[in-house]
Amino acid sequence: MPREAVNGWTRQTFASSGAFRLPYGPDHALLARRIRAELLEGPGFTVVTGTPAGTMSTTAAQEFAVAMLRHLGEALPQGRGPDTALGWLVRDEGVSAYTDDRRFHENAYTSRSRGYLHLHNDRAVQPFGHLPDCIALLTHRKAAQGGASVLMDGWTVHRILREESPRALDLLGAPYAIDRRHVTPPGADPVVRTPVFEQADGRVHLRCNLKRIETAAELTGDPLPPDRRAALETLRQVLGRRELKVTIPLEDGDCLVIDDRRVLHGRTSYEDPSDADRRRCLVRVMLRLKAAATSVSGGLEDE
């Protein structure tokens, strides 16, 4: 791992994809320690390669994902009612992230679509009432074409804003309303309010989902003032910088694990094979890290 990745990275930080890959091993306790080191003492993400998930049934892959990661942290339930699962299936189920008039579909599970997904982190919306520390995406079956994961380092974004747009950064440290209608726990408010950037445990933590901030303003009927809209636009422009993005095609059996407090993730659009039984399928596990993992120091000591 490049040393500079500990406190921030861009695409150029990694000479090759091998810099952020870990080989799978059946000793899951040891594997968890290695993953944890990459999350908390490294770039905030890693790709575990060579798991047997690609050869399993879908149900077995779901169970395997949770079992493989149990030493890393507590798996959090996703979904509502009979849909609830610890291993959530990310696959095309005919859902579109946009309505017929190309408006963002705030009620849709974008994980069940095959379109492009903008950069975000899951904890921004407190999915199903949780604040996950990390997200794992285990590739059961890859797409016929496309479907690569796209990552960006939130600490690097924070530093760029601090250097280039300190006023915008200040505004992004105040709470914004975020729409979570698609993942609202029963009886809870469909809108949460949180800063995009905040300090916690000596580190910068992110809660970033620009699409859901936009729809929250529509939902609440409380439009943002011009200076706060401008701050979001400044952030959007930074998120659009190609040189900050790392694109990772995932193979069958690969497991991408992300520190969801630091790293933003998205996805390129994809096409599935004609055989519906072979469609792209990832197993998403949301995790709360075990207490021992959160004691590891490092990252943004100068903040």
Side-chain angles (χ1 to χ4, degrees):
M1 176 195 68
R3 183 175 180 82
E4 62 268 30
V6 173
N7 289 319
W9 50 262
T10 68
R11 180 189 300 177
Q12 290 187 336
T13 302
F14 306 102
S16 71
S17 63
F20 50 74
R21 294 183 184 273
L22 287 175
Y24 171 74
D27 185 340
H28 292 168
L30 175 60
L31 182 63
R33 291 196 294 272
R34 291 175 173 169
I35 294 172
R36 182 180 294 118
E38 296 300 316
L39 297 184
L40 301 180
E41 299 174 348
F45 73 96
T46 190
V47 178
V48 178
T49 61
T51 82
T55 63
M56 298 176 173
S57 69
T58 300
T59 299
Q62 290 176 279
E63 295 171 351
F64 172 79
V66 175
M68 180 180 72
L69 296 163
R70 68 183 180 87
H71 294 283
L72 184 62
E74 174 193 359
L76 303 172
Q78 303 169 68
R80 290 176 288 211
D83 232 4
T84 302
L86 297 179
W88 178 267
L89 295 181
V90 178
R91 61 186 181 185
D92 179 27
E93 296 186 6
V95 172
S96 174
Y98 292 88
T99 61
D100 291 341
D101 60 0
R102 301 307 298 162
R103 182 179 177 277
F104 182 71
H105 196 333
E106 65 277 356
N107 284 308
Y109 285 129
T110 52
S111 60
R112 293 181 171 175
S113 70
R114 56 184 171 89
Y116 160 84
L117 293 186
H118 63 285
L119 288 165
H120 66 285
N121 64 339
D122 288 43
R123 75 191 330 256
V125 296
Q126 295 185 26
F128 311 110
H130 306 303
L131 278 175
D133 295 325
C134 64
I135 304 293
L137 293 166
L138 175 67
T139 309
H140 176 37
R141 291 186 299 267
K142 67 179 183 179
Q145 183 176 349
S149 290
V150 181
L151 307 184
M152 184 176 291
D153 186 8
W155 291 355
T156 298
V157 173
H158 184 271
R159 285 196 170 127
I160 289 172
L161 290 170
R162 185 182 61 193
E163 294 166 2
E164 299 180 6
S165 304
R167 174 57 178 159
L169 183 60
D170 285 345
L171 290 167
L172 292 166
Y176 281 80
I178 303 181
D179 180 359
R180 62 161 179 179
R181 274 174 281 186
H182 61 309
V183 291
T184 308
D189 195 328
V191 173
V192 292
R193 290 170 173 80
T194 181
V196 176
F197 296 100
E198 60 185 345
Q199 293 278 351
D201 304 323
R203 298 182 172 204
V204 171
H205 287 197
L206 278 75
R207 303 274 291 279
C208 181
N209 191 319
L210 293 181
K211 287 290 186 184
R212 303 289 179 182
I213 291 175
E214 290 173 359
T215 58
E218 300 168 4
L219 177 62
T220 62
D222 186 15
L224 292 167
D227 59 343
R228 303 197 73 198
R229 290 201 308 271
L232 291 175
E233 182 56 32
T234 299
L235 173 59
R236 189 190 314 277
Q237 292 174 7
V238 175
L239 296 183
R241 296 186 185 183
R242 296 182 63 183
E243 69 273 15
L244 302 184
K245 300 176 183 178
V246 171
T247 301
I248 306 175
L250 297 174
E251 300 296 328
D252 290 357
D254 283 354
C255 185
L256 171 64
V257 189
I258 306 163
D259 184 338
D260 197 51
R261 302 162 299 182
R262 170 182 175 180
V263 177
L264 301 176
H265 65 279
R267 182 190 70 207
T268 65
S269 61
Y270 67 89
E271 297 294 333
D272 273 330
S274 56
D275 182 355
D277 291 337
R278 296 301 306 164
R279 59 183 160 164
R280 179 184 186 268
C281 181
L282 275 59
V283 180
R284 184 181 68 196
V285 182
M286 295 182 173
L287 296 158
R288 181 180 295 117
L289 289 177
K290 292 185 176 180
T294 59
S295 66
V296 179
S297 62
L300 296 185
E301 295 88 353
D302 60 322
E303 292 291 311

